[in-house]
Amino acid sequence: MKHLEVCTENLKQTHELGEKIGRAAVRNMVFLLDGDLGAGKTTLTQGIARGLGVRRNVTSPTFTILKVYQGRMPLYHIDAYRLEGTVQDLGFDELMEDEGLTVIEWSQYVSYLIPEEYMKITITLLEEDSRKFVFEACGAQYEKLLEDIA
Ligand SMILES: Nc1ncnc2c1ncn2[C@@H]1O[C@H](COP(=O)(O)OP(=O)(O)OP(=O)(O)O)[C@@H](O)[C@H]1O
Ligand SMILES: [Mg+2]
């Protein structure tokens, strides 16, 4: 399965969607989360963290760019919003080759970091509490993950 569309009606459903992703994820995966301010990128990441067994609360890393959490594998949460228009070697590519799971908010600002295979998740705000998640799997293990969560 290469594409999947899921709508959520509230924050809890987005957490649950993320949790399913976190449970189904295998080592070394990269998730690109795109969508406007307040779309739900961090909210989905909170669910992913929960599915990975992370106990700490995931917060928006806007002012730190990278936060690392420990679950059944490390979660690298990158928010590239403040990197717009820059090309910097912050060592993220090495992190992403590591055994963890990487989530990148605003991945379009760090296109140079995007690996050959990844899951892209585009989030749009439908109305107040409704959000649409469009998944595009690029690579066999991501296609399988979509089957697992569909
Ligand atoms: N169905 C929903 N899914 C996710 N968030 C929702 C939903 N309905 C309402 N919300 C609200 O939308 C906001 C989403 O914020 P969040 O920080 O996840 O967005 P973001 O995409 O990470 O934004 P930013 O670009 O600023 O990092 C939260 O305030 C959340 O409570
Ligand atoms: Mg965010």
Side-chain angles (χ1 to χ4, degrees):
M1 184 183 289
K2 281 191 167 31
H3 296 276
L4 177 68
E5 257 187 55
V6 179
C7 292
T8 67
E9 302 304 329
N10 53 53
L11 177 125
K12 184 164 175 275
Q13 287 182 3
T14 298
H15 277 162
E16 286 165 358
L17 175 63
E19 206 172 332
K20 270 205 244 176
I21 297 169
R23 279 200 301 262
V26 297
R27 290 184 183 278
N28 242 290
M29 284 187 152
V30 176
F31 293 85
L32 312 176
L33 304 192
D34 293 320
D36 290 339
L37 289 166
K41 302 180 291 297
T42 300
T43 305
L44 187 72
T45 308
Q46 289 167 343
I48 293 174
R50 204 183 286 173
L52 286 174
V54 171
R55 296 242 179 96
R56 270 170 66 207
N57 187 33
V58 170
T59 53
S60 178
T62 302
F63 297 103
T64 43
I65 303 175
L66 168 72
K67 281 195 181 173
V68 183
Y69 300 89
Q70 283 304 330
R72 68 181 164 85
M73 64 178 100
L75 167 64
Y76 304 114
H77 184 196
I78 296 171
D79 190 322
Y81 188 64
R82 293 196 315 144
L83 298 178
E84 184 184 6
T86 67
V87 176
Q88 300 181 47
D89 183 1
L90 297 168
F92 292 163
D93 37 0
E94 282 146 47
L95 270 191
M96 288 159 62
E97 285 165 14
D98 190 22
E99 299 281 273
L101 185 157
T102 305
V103 170
I104 309 180
E105 297 192 32
W106 297 99
S107 67
Q108 67 266 42
Y109 294 157
V110 286
S111 50
Y112 54 91
L113 276 183
I114 298 175
E116 259 171 56
E117 301 197 344
Y118 54 83
M119 180 80 80
K120 183 169 171 148
I121 307 174
T122 307
I123 311 173
T124 45
L125 204 153
L126 298 178
E127 34 185 282
E128 260 177 76
D129 289 342
S130 312
R131 303 288 189 275
K132 184 170 78 172
F133 296 81
V134 177
F135 292 79
E136 294 172 63
C138 187
Q141 60 176 355
Y142 297 96
E143 290 181 27
K144 178 173 180 304
L145 183 132
L146 280 191
E147 272 145 35
D148 290 345
I149 67 167

